[in-house]
Structure formats: structure tokens, C-alpha cells
Amino acid sequence: MTQRLKAHNKTPSALFKVILPIVIGSLLAACSPSSGLPAPIGHSPGLTATTCWFEQSDPMPPHHCYNMTVNETPESPDGRFTTFPVIVFPGANPNQTFSPLLHLGGGGPGASLALDSQYNVKSIYDQMRSLSVDQGRDLYLIDPRGAGQSRPQMMCQEFVDNVISRWQRVMTIGESYDDGHKNFTQCLISLKAQGVNFSAYSSTTVVNDLETLRRVSGVEQWVLYGASYASVYAQLYARDHPERIEAMILDSATFLDTPRHEVLVREYVEPYKRLFDSCSQGPYCDDSSDELQQRFWALVQQLDDKPLWMTVEHPFELTRIPIALTGWRLLDSVLWGVYEEDMFTDFPIILDELEREQTQMTRLYVEELLAYLLDDTFGDISASSHYCVDQKPYIDDEKIREQVRKIPYPYVRNIALLGLDYTDYCSEMSIALEPGDLNHSVRTGVATLFIHGELDSVTLLDHVTERQKNFSNSHIVTSAQAHIVLDDPCILDTVKTFMAEGADGSLRARCAEQQADQ
């Protein structure tokens, strides 16, 4: 998988970009239509064939593009519609019938597969074909409602338009929150005026969409691939429609039943602990964990006191732009970097550079973060509504604050407390906090393969091992990677075996050794 494609499979754990990076791993982890995608209002529900919306400058394998239009609110069939894109690559042997493989999107919630790019579509196909088309299975690719090429587009263009201007100013984290908050408020006002029902963008409605797609496509059963937060969609589908799933592959899985007030400190601490232990993982670093930690926090404070001006490449334009690297922006960039395993070896190099006021390695991670912040396919508003429906009703605010105060890093603890005081937009979106059963453990006998990175500090491997007992027909396979591991050739081979033989097959438990030899 390419770096750009893997970045689109990342799962931002913040509610929305305005408060993204400071709260990675915490409870807050949480518009013009593109050509070829009709506006959802005024169209009838159903699956409609359409000319593919991405420019095709190179030959592509046989494929078909569709718009799937559904009721925005399933309980209101006379209301608005929402539309999401579907791409189907037919299986190689039309005379054989196998359950199709459905890729549940980029994760997120709100993360897209960048299906507007032929390069990305072809890259996903190349990665998934051995699990699908080559086996005679159709391959389905979607962006769930609220993400990517779906309409209405549940992202805040005003925020994206102001990212660069913010980074070109010296701002405190509070000033940045305030500035971004104005953008999001304006976006919500605009979407409200259009009649959008924000509460209809949640995991429950996505699962309903998947079942509707199955019925209208004439599919008997799916094989589901869910990466990061998209694994929640697979789990809820297995809970509600177990007879409609042949198997699930859950890559870097997350779980809605994770009790936030119990695991918050562990999730906050894990990325830093791994970073501060990174010298023990690399060949050119002799610092102890304590020494690395002291150097890092000293740099963060130094950059807050005196920001370092640096020049970066604009992620989507052929321009170079000056930006002010403050301490909290360094923290943002480093935490965004832990989605990739390279950060754990690059981290000591970044510290060495910045102490000499050099930025070669740092620049790469700043540019990665900017690429995310400037991504106008990420449904940040959908991410917020998912949080308000999927998670907030089950969170005890006082217990969360109590746990935040236990975070051992004062800088992070203070910013986390600041983040708790900022709006989560649930009331602005008129989302009633109605507890249901989303915090209940999913228990299923559907054949399930968990694939997970041993360096993943975003979705913790411990959470998978603690819950495997609930998946009575399952295996866990790990790789020496961080977040999203299907690009490991060994993992891919193991998934192929699972697809052929199910959970009863002979599957390796770790891919670290083989990966090191390739």
C-alpha cells in the first residue's frame, strides 16, 4: 500500500480536525458535489449505474460505478435522501459464485478511500484483488454516508480553507481552537439550513445502508473488511445480520464497548511510552527513555516560547509555504506520525534535528499532518455526529475528567482538560443523547480474523485480546507494524488462507519474523 493510500486509511481519533491531534487515543478520538454524483435530494432510493466520477487516464480492470441512494433517516421514508458511491470489480470467474468482499471504507469515522482518484482506486484494487477478484469474488468499494464522495458532503470546507493561514500565524492551542470553532459553527449553520439530520450519520445508519445495498445488489452474504473504526460497522452488522456474513477481516479493530473512563489513561500514555522507548528499538540511539522524554518536553516548551519558522511543501499544490512550528504543533505532528511504524525509529532523529534548529525529518511529518487537515474528502462533521450518537451517551463526564487528571504528562494533561471544555457540537447539531445498546459487547460466531500491529498505539492490541473471547470463531494475527497492517505481505497471505479455509484453517500467529526477511 502506498503512503498516500495508507494515510487515507488512518483513523483520526479526534472528533473533528479543530481538536484532532492533542487528544489522539482519547474519548475525543474520535461543499460542492463532485462530477458524476447527483445531489441526494429529490432522487428515489436505489442503486443507480453511473459514469465513474474519477478521471481515467490509464487502463483499468473491468469495473462498474454506482450511486446508492437511501433515506437519510431510515424511519422517515418521505424525508431527505443521502447518496454514497459504490465501485464493483467483478470476480475473475463469472461461472463461479462466491460471497463478494466488501471494503467498508477508510475508517474514521469520516475517513474516505479517496475514490475520486484513479490512482487510489487502482491501488486498492491491486491490494485487494488476491482476496477477491482472483478468487472469483466481486470486490465492492464504498465510502459510507458522510465520507468522501458521499452526498451531502459532511465536511467543513471553511475549516480546510483556513488551515494554511492558521499555520502561518503564531497561535496558542486555545487561539487555534477558537479560530477553528468559528469555521465549524458556520458549517453547521449552513447544513442545518439545508435540512440535514445530523443524528442520521452514525454507525447504526451505516449498517442499515450496508444491508440495503446487499438486498438491492442481490448478494446472499458478504465477506467484510473493516479497517480501524470501519471495523465497528462490521461488528454491528455481524450483531444484527449474522446470517448475511460469511466472514470478517478486522484490521486494527476498535470497539464501542471500550469503557472510556477505565482505559483513557492507558490510551493517552501508550503513544508517548512507545515514543520514549524508541531508542531501544533503533540501532543509532543510546538515550534512556527518561532522557528522551526530557529532551522532547524541553523542545515542546522551547517551541511554544519561540516558534521555529520552516518551509514545507503544500500537500496538494506545487508550492512551498512558510509555517510556524510551535510546541503543540510539533506534538500534533508527532502523534499523527504514530499511525506509521516509521515514527518510532524517526523520533530520536527528529529531536536531534530540532535541537540544532534543522527540520528535514520533521518536515515530512508536518506535511503528513497538513495533508490530513487539508483533505476535503474527510467527513469531519460526520465524525462529530458519530461521536454524539455512538459514544457520548455512554460517557460519564466527571469520571472522564477524573481520569484526565491522572495523565502523567503535565503538558498533555493541561491540553486534554482544555479540550474537554470545548464544545463537542452535539447540542449545536440537535443530537439527543439517547443511550441504547451500542456500548454492549458484540458477541458473534461469525468467522473473524483480527489483524493487528504490535506497534499500534492508536487502536491497542490489548483491546483485541481482551475481547477475542466474544468472537467464538476467531484468530488474531499480528505484524511488526503500527496502524493498518494489510499491506504486510505476510498478513496478506494469511488473510488469503483465512478466506480459503476460514477460522479453522492453519494460520500463523505472528508475521514479524517473515516481514523482517523481505
Side-chain angles (χ1 to χ4, degrees):
M1 187 184 292
T2 66
Q3 284 295 106
R4 177 168 171 75
L5 179 59
K6 192 160 184 175
H8 277 282
N9 276 297
K10 288 180 177 179
T11 301
S13 48
L15 269 180
F16 24 69
K17 295 176 181 178
V18 66
I19 56 172
L20 155 77
I22 300 302
V23 291
I24 280 184
S26 77
L27 75 141
L28 298 177
C31 298
S32 59
S34 297
S35 174
L37 283 175
I41 302 173
H43 288 254
S44 300
L47 188 65
T48 306
T50 184
T51 301
C52 292
W53 46 86
F54 51 89
E55 181 180 349
Q56 300 189 44
S57 56
D58 298 311
M60 285 275 288
H63 62 284
H64 309 286
C65 294
Y66 302 90
N67 294 312
M68 183 69 217
T69 301
V70 296
N71 295 106
E72 183 177 63
T73 305
E75 301 80 20
S76 302
D78 298 327
R80 288 169 47 91
F81 299 122
T82 183
T83 299
F84 62 92
V86 181
I87 303 176
V88 181
F89 292 92
N93 189 341
N95 296 319
Q96 290 182 298
T97 303
F98 298 99
S99 300
L101 174 62
L102 173 59
H103 192 310
L104 294 174
S112 78
L113 285 179
L115 298 179
D116 58 329
S117 161
Q118 180 188 14
Y119 172 80
N120 281 338
V121 172
K122 181 62 164 53
S123 296
I124 299 168
Y125 168 82
D126 288 341
Q127 183 185 55
M128 306 296 291
R129 63 175 295 177
S130 65
L131 309 178
S132 54
V133 173
D134 291 350
Q135 297 184 13
R137 302 177 186 270
D138 293 348
L139 171 62
Y140 281 66
L141 307 179
I142 67 168
D143 278 335
R145 63 164 65 194
Q149 296 299 105
S150 298
R151 296 297 180 267
Q153 191 174 40
M154 299 291 285
M155 57 81 63
C156 186
Q157 189 64 50
E158 285 88 344
F159 181 91
V160 172
D161 291 342
N162 288 309
V163 166
I164 297 299
S165 67
R166 276 190 286 270
W167 277 68
Q168 291 182 325
R169 285 179 278 162
V170 175
M171 307 177 76
T172 66
I173 184 67
E175 291 169 340
S176 182
Y177 279 7
D178 288 337
D179 199 65
H181 175 72
K182 294 174 186 176
N183 297 153
F184 276 95
T185 299
Q186 189 57 46
C187 287
L188 295 180
I189 291 172
S190 176
L191 287 170
K192 267 190 174 181
Q194 298 172 37
V196 169
N197 178 6
F198 296 100
S199 63
Y201 294 85
S202 69
S203 293
T204 301
T205 50
V206 169
V207 169
N208 188 77
D209 293 345
L210 300 178
E211 176 59 7
T212 302
L213 175 63
R214 184 199 64 77
R215 290 198 307 268
V216 301
S217 301
V219 171
E220 184 65 24
Q221 287 187 313
W222 297 114
V223 174
L224 299 180
Y225 170 76
S228 200
Y229 202 92
S231 67
V232 168
Y233 302 150
Q235 293 168 56
L236 295 180
Y237 194 94
R239 181 196 67 179
D240 296 344
H241 309 283
E243 74 284 359
R244 298 304 182 185
I245 306 181
E246 176 186 320
M248 297 190 294
I249 302 104
L250 305 184
D251 188 344
S252 308
T254 190
F255 304 89
L256 288 183
D257 69 327
T258 306
R260 306 309 309 163
H261 61 276
E262 292 180 13
V263 302
L264 179 65
V265 175
R266 178 175 23 156
E267 292 184 343
Y268 254 117
V269 168
E270 190 64 24
Y272 295 101
K273 182 178 183 300
R274 290 181 183 271
L275 287 169
F276 298 146
D277 287 344
S278 57
C279 274
S280 63
Q281 303 166 24
Y284 308 114
C285 184
D286 297 323
D287 282 358
S288 68
S289 176
D290 287 344
E291 290 170 330
L292 215 57
Q293 180 176 173
Q294 292 169 8
R295 291 171 61 198
F296 177 67
W297 294 123
L299 265 173
V300 168
Q301 188 60 59
Q302 176 183 319
L303 289 170
D304 272 345
D305 294 338
K306 183 182 178 182
L308 179 62
W309 285 91
M310 57 187 291
T311 301
V312 299
E313 299 281 349
H314 191 292
F316 307 123
E317 299 175 6
L318 297 178
T319 57
R320 293 172 62 81
I321 52 175
I323 60 101
L325 184 66
T326 60
W328 64 267
R329 284 173 180 155
L330 171 64
L331 190 64
D332 286 2
S333 302
V334 167
L335 289 184
W336 185 242
V338 301
Y339 281 93
E340 305 286 350
E341 53 274 9
D342 290 346
M343 170 53 78
F344 300 105
T345 52
D346 291 344
F347 181 65
I349 301 172
I350 289 173
L351 298 192
D352 288 342
E353 278 188 352
L354 290 175
E355 287 168 345
R356 301 193 305 271
E357 296 192 351
Q358 296 178 1
T359 59
Q360 275 186 302
M361 182 68 74
T362 308
R363 178 174 58 82
L364 300 178
Y365 288 98
V366 169
E367 289 170 351
E368 279 284 310
L369 176 57
L370 285 173
Y372 162 65
L373 294 174
L374 292 167
D375 180 4
D376 61 6
T377 71
F378 180 78
D380 39 30
I381 293 174
S382 179
S384 299
S385 62
H386 270 71
Y387 168 75
C388 295
V389 177
D390 293 1
Q391 298 181 50
K392 186 168 183 181
Y394 311 99
I395 292 174
D396 185 319
D397 287 342
E398 188 50 46
K399 286 184 178 179
I400 287 295
R401 289 181 181 276
E402 181 181 322
Q403 292 303 305
V404 167
R405 295 186 189 100
K406 296 179 182 179
I407 296 171
Y409 310 112
Y411 191 96
V412 178
R413 182 170 62 245
N414 291 338
I415 295 179
L417 288 169
L418 177 65
L420 291 176
D421 293 331
Y422 271 78
T423 178
D424 52 27
Y425 297 106
C426 299
S427 59
E428 286 86 342
M429 292 189 289
S430 302
I431 295 178
L433 303 180
E434 299 175 349
D437 60 0
L438 291 179
N439 67 331
H440 295 176
S441 298
V442 171
R443 299 177 184 275
T444 182
V446 170
T448 303
L449 177 63
F450 292 99
I451 56 178
H452 215 95
E454 294 164 4
L455 294 176
D456 192 345
S457 58
V458 179
T459 55
L460 301 185
L461 179 58
D462 285 351
H463 291 173
V464 179
T465 57
E466 289 164 2
R467 285 163 180 75
Q468 189 185 14
K469 63 181 181 295
N470 298 331
F471 296 79
S472 60
N473 190 16
S474 65
H475 278 285
I476 300 175
V477 182
T478 63
S479 172
Q481 290 186 287
H483 196 62
I484 310 298
V485 299
L486 190 62
D487 58 325
D488 181 339
C490 170
I491 289 285
L492 192 64
D493 285 344
T494 305
V495 175
K496 286 162 60 176
T497 301
F498 172 76
M499 296 280 285
E501 302 177 13
D504 295 331
S506 177
L507 301 177
R508 66 172 68 233
R510 297 186 72 231
C511 274
E513 294 86 353
Q514 178 170 327
Q515 184 194 42
D517 296 334
Q518 293 177 346

